[in-house]
């Protein structure tokens, strides 16, 4: 980090173990949404910088020790990086709160510990022998067969703005645990905690040069160059479904592996026997956490017709007490949205919902917070009278907007829940656990929470059905997604006789 002429911190690109300027020296501002003004500058990388980063990564993979470093050594390094973040927790939490606008209560108690935990879980997974048994084989002759797992190579990782540090941790932990090398591209709104992570990596001195590289810059330029680059072996992307489609297209030219974690329109299904006190706060936590800017937010609340009015009244009463305010105030429940562009998009969806015939039960407008008049604040908003075929109920809004949709019976609830192009998450609220599990099994989504929301464990697979993505992150599956499987076959006969498969073309010697 340097200080620019107006005394704001400025960050360069991190390539081949060094902090360097973009090829053309360009910089771009990074905003602090609550204040509506820049809080830092970062290098504005370009395709030429991706070339440099991929070359460094390629060299680290093809000629360096990293892919052959023993798993216990990689585990030690991941723990050391986790320690490095922990030692700077307060700083990371403050930067995350200022740059994204989320309350510091949330960045301190969710983003930081969970990012650290993620690195630690993958450190442990790195140590674990991913043993894949093969059946005994003596056809056509006696042999020993085993599966060798090795790193894929250069991994391009493109992350969104909604959980900046957590997304960086989710991406780098499994890649490093398995011996891959990385070019990370953070979102342009929120690159700062990923840059702090790069500082931690640099200061640790533990990773060989070129194993971890970070390039900031516009997605349309830097992200596209990374996804298309012939020197990149795998792309891992989290963000919108629209950009996800583009990533697949770009990756197809060189048949890169892709994992995509995309959008959602996840249902929160309140079953008729639910504990309504629990479900009220749970549904609100499901949708409004992180200002509604979560891919697996529970944006559609499905309620039995008979409970609709009473449950809506509870939701409204609890929403009324939420405090919008300064992200750095520990009393704040909801900060500003990430940007004015996002605010405008949320406003457009609210106007659209009203045109489609839905009604506002609470919220629906910009909010002004004294002292933060330039911040893109939006009231927590609940729509009622929503039909599931409205665009309001079908499209990802990415702001604090809940749609309440009534249903007649559980069969209809499941049908509505699945009537979406997405399939990322779902919540089921019920006292009857076997009944809730039955519903969970019929929901076409990658994660279903029973009586909770947003619990994404580093040890459990996470990802989307349908257009919410491809592949899984986290746990053993997430780790294997960073490996190539190699079958090694060892002949145990060691003699010419008995090789019937050779005899089909070569007569045995007399
Ligand atoms: P996005 O456009 O999908 O951006 C995600 C990441 O991809 C960012 O790093 C972005 O870089 C990069 N990118 C953008 N265009 C690219 C391209 N053509 N090729 C390669 N990389 C590219 O998401 P967004 O613009 O931040 O948000 C738009 C909408 O996406 C939101 O309103 C929300 O609905 C959805 N979203 C979903 C998630 C999720 O987790 N599912 C997360 C964020 C947003 P730049 O930041 O430089 O543009
Ligand atoms: Mg975009």
């Amino acid at each position: 980090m340097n200080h620019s002429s107006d005394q704001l911190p400025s960050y360069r690109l991190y390539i081949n173990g060094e902090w360097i300027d973009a090829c053309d020296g360009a910089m771009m501002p990074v905003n602090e949404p609550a204040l509506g003004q820049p809080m830092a500058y970062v290098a504005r990388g370009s395709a030429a910088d991706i070339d440099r980063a991929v070359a460094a990564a390629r060299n680290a993979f093809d000629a360096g020790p990293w892919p052959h470093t023993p798993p216990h050594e990689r585990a030690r390094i991941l723990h050391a990086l986790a320690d490095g973040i922990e030692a700077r927790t307060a700083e990371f939490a403050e930067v995350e709160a200022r740059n994204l606008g989320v309350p510091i209560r949330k960045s301190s108690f969710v983003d930081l510990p969970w990012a650290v935990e993620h690195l630690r879980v993958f450190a442990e997974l790195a140590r674990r022998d991913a043993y894949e048994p093969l059946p005994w084989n003596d056809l056509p002759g006696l042999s020993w067969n085993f599966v060798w797992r090795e790193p894929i190579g250069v991994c391009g990782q493109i992350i969104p703005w909604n959980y900046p540090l957590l997304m960086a941790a989710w991406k780098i932990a499994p890649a490093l645990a398995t011996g891959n090398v990385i070019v990370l591209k953070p979102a342009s709104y929120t690159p700062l905690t990923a840059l702090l992570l790069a500082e931690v990596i640099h200061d640790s001195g533990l990773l060989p040069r070129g194993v971890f590289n970070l390039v900031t810059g516009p997605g349309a330029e830097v992200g596209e160059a990374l996804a298309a680059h012939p020197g990149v072996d795998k792309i891992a992307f989290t963000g919108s479904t629209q950009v996800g489609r583009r990533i697949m297209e770009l990756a197809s030219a060189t048949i890169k592996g892709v994992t995509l974690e995309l959008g959602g329109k996840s249902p929160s299904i309140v079953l008729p026997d639910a504990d309504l006190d629990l479900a009220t706060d749970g549904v609100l936590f499901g949708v409004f956490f992180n200002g509604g800017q979560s891919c697996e937010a529970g944006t559609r609340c499905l309620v039995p017709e008979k409970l609709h009015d009473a449950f809506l009244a509870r939701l409204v009463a609890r929403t009324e007490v939420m405090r919008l305010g300064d992200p750095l105030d520990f009393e704040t429940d909801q900060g500003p949205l990430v940007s004015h562009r996002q605010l405008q998009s949320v406003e457009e969806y609210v106007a659209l919902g009203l045109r489609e015939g839905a009604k506002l039960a609470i919220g629906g407008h910009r909010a002004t917070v004294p002292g933060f008049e330039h911040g893109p604040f939006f009231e927590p908003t609940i729509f009622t009278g929503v039909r599931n075929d409205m665009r309001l109920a079908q499209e990802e809004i990415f702001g604090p907007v809940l749609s309440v949709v009534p249903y007649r019976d559980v069969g209809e609830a499941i049908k509505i829940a699945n009537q979406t192009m997405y399939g990322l998450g779902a919540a089921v609220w019920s006292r009857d656990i076997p009944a809730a599990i039955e519903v969970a099994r019929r929901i076409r989504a990658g994660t279903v929470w029973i009586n909770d929301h947003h619990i994404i464990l580093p040890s459990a697979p996470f990802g989307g059905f349908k257009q919410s993505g491809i592949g899984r992150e986290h746990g053993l599956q997430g780790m294997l997604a960073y490996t190539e499987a190699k079958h090694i076959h060892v002949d145990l006969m060691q003699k010419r006789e008995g090789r019937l498969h050779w005899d089909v073309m070569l007569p045995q010697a007399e």
Side-chain angles (χ1 to χ4, degrees):
M1 180 181 61
N2 294 319
H3 280 268
S4 60
S5 49
D6 52 357
Q7 288 307 309
L8 291 177
S10 76
Y11 296 85
R12 301 195 282 175
L13 307 175
Y14 188 66
I15 295 177
N16 208 28
E18 289 170 28
W19 294 98
I20 58 173
D21 289 323
C23 284
D24 59 6
M27 301 291 285
M28 58 186 198
V30 175
N31 231 28
E32 177 163 4
L35 300 179
Q37 66 189 33
M39 64 179 284
Y41 291 89
V42 299
R44 187 184 188 286
S46 64
D49 296 303
I50 287 296
D51 283 341
R52 293 199 290 177
V54 172
R58 201 66 266 166
N59 187 54
F61 189 78
D62 295 340
W66 182 248
H68 314 290
T69 305
H72 66 267
E73 179 62 11
R74 296 201 290 257
R76 189 182 70 81
I77 292 172
L78 279 169
H79 276 303
L81 299 181
D83 293 342
I85 298 173
E86 249 171 352
R88 293 172 67 177
T89 290
E91 180 191 3
F92 269 89
E94 183 184 323
V95 170
E96 196 80 323
R98 290 180 61 197
N99 190 187
L100 176 59
V102 292
I104 192 157
R105 206 162 94 227
K106 182 249 169 190
S107 64
S108 302
F109 300 126
V110 177
D111 297 306
L112 262 293
W114 281 77
V116 167
E117 179 63 10
H118 213 84
L119 295 175
R120 297 206 189 282
V121 167
F122 276 95
E124 294 313 310
L125 279 171
R127 278 183 213 271
R128 194 160 121 188
D129 189 8
Y131 178 63
E132 290 166 74
L134 291 179
W136 177 255
N137 184 60
D138 58 6
L139 194 77
L142 201 58
S143 64
W144 176 41
N145 294 273
F146 62 95
V147 178
W148 180 249
R149 286 277 175 178
E150 55 189 54
I152 295 174
V154 176
C155 299
Q157 305 185 318
I158 302 175
I159 56 175
W161 47 260
N162 54 342
Y163 291 87
L165 177 66
L166 206 51
M167 291 301 121
W170 283 16
K171 291 289 179 282
I172 73 162
L176 293 178
T178 43
N180 291 275
V181 300
I182 294 168
V183 178
L184 178 70
K185 189 244 160 306
S188 296
Y189 285 141
T190 58
L192 299 182
T193 44
L195 284 157
L196 294 186
L197 174 64
E199 285 185 357
V200 167
I201 289 173
H202 182 73
D203 295 347
S204 77
L206 290 171
L207 289 180
R209 292 158 76 89
V211 168
F212 172 82
N213 306 275
L214 186 159
V215 179
T216 43
E221 201 178 332
V222 165
E224 296 236 349
L226 191 56
H229 205 292
V232 173
D233 301 299
K234 172 189 165 113
I235 288 283
F237 170 80
T238 299
S240 60
T241 293
Q242 190 191 351
V243 175
R245 289 189 192 105
R246 178 73 181 139
I247 299 279
M248 279 185 87
E249 206 176 295
L250 293 168
S252 73
T254 54
I255 320 290
K256 288 182 186 59
V258 291
T259 44
L260 304 174
E261 200 269 276
L262 309 175
K265 197 75 189 179
S266 301
S268 282
I269 307 168
V270 179
L271 293 184
D273 72 320
D275 173 338
L276 294 187
D277 285 334
L278 188 71
T280 303
D281 278 13
V283 166
L284 295 177
F285 169 67
V287 65
F288 294 146
F289 183 66
N290 211 42
Q293 306 166 119
S294 303
C295 49
E296 28 69 82
T299 45
R300 295 182 295 145
C301 177
L302 313 188
V303 194
E305 266 175 357
K306 280 188 201 134
L307 290 179
H308 177 275
D309 293 356
F311 191 65
L312 181 67
R314 285 168 182 261
L315 291 174
V316 167
R318 292 292 289 157
T319 300
E320 265 167 358
V321 301
M322 285 179 64
R323 284 156 303 192
L324 267 68
D326 177 5
L328 293 181
D329 181 345
F330 271 87
E331 300 291 305
T332 293
D333 297 325
Q334 184 183 304
L337 300 184
V338 71
S339 68
H340 281 278
R341 206 180 76 183
Q342 196 63 25
L343 178 74
Q344 195 185 330
S345 159
V346 173
E347 280 185 318
E348 284 166 11
Y349 271 109
V350 169
L352 171 72
L354 292 170
R355 282 203 303 282
E356 289 181 302
K359 295 197 169 42
L360 281 170
I362 185 170
H365 310 97
R366 288 180 185 221
T368 308
V369 172
F372 299 88
E373 285 77 8
H374 300 293
F377 289 89
F378 199 83
E379 296 170 346
T381 296
I382 301 178
F383 271 107
T384 176
V386 181
R387 278 194 335 268
N388 196 56
D389 62 358
M390 293 177 176
R391 284 180 58 198
L392 186 65
Q394 290 293 318
E395 297 179 17
E396 193 170 47
I397 299 175
F398 242 61
V401 181
L402 176 67
S403 293
V404 178
V405 183
Y407 69 81
R408 276 188 294 273
D409 54 43
V410 175
E412 193 189 37
I414 292 167
K415 207 169 124 202
I416 295 173
N418 287 332
Q419 260 164 7
T420 158
M421 72 168 187
Y422 295 117
L424 195 52
V428 181
W429 298 91
S430 173
R431 289 187 171 99
D432 182 344
I433 300 303
I437 291 175
E438 194 47 42
V439 173
R441 290 175 56 170
R442 290 168 65 189
I443 302 294
R444 303 281 297 161
T447 302
V448 184
W449 296 281
I450 294 174
N451 296 327
D452 212 332
H453 210 113
H454 295 301
I455 304 294
I456 298 174
L457 302 177
S459 53
F462 177 69
F465 283 35
K466 300 193 273 184
Q467 295 189 39
S468 285
I470 297 182
R472 292 292 178 272
E473 297 189 282
H474 310 344
L476 193 55
Q477 296 197 35
M479 191 152 102
L480 294 182
Y482 279 91
T483 65
E484 292 278 14
K486 180 180 285 176
H487 166 205
I488 296 185
H489 170 89
V490 186
D491 167 67
L492 294 177
M493 296 193 296
Q494 305 206 52
K495 57 182 189 327
R496 175 64 183 84
E497 299 91 82
R499 297 187 184 237
L500 302 176
H501 55 305
W502 292 15
D503 293 345
V504 300
M505 64 160 285
L506 273 180
Q508 287 204 38
E510 288 301 306

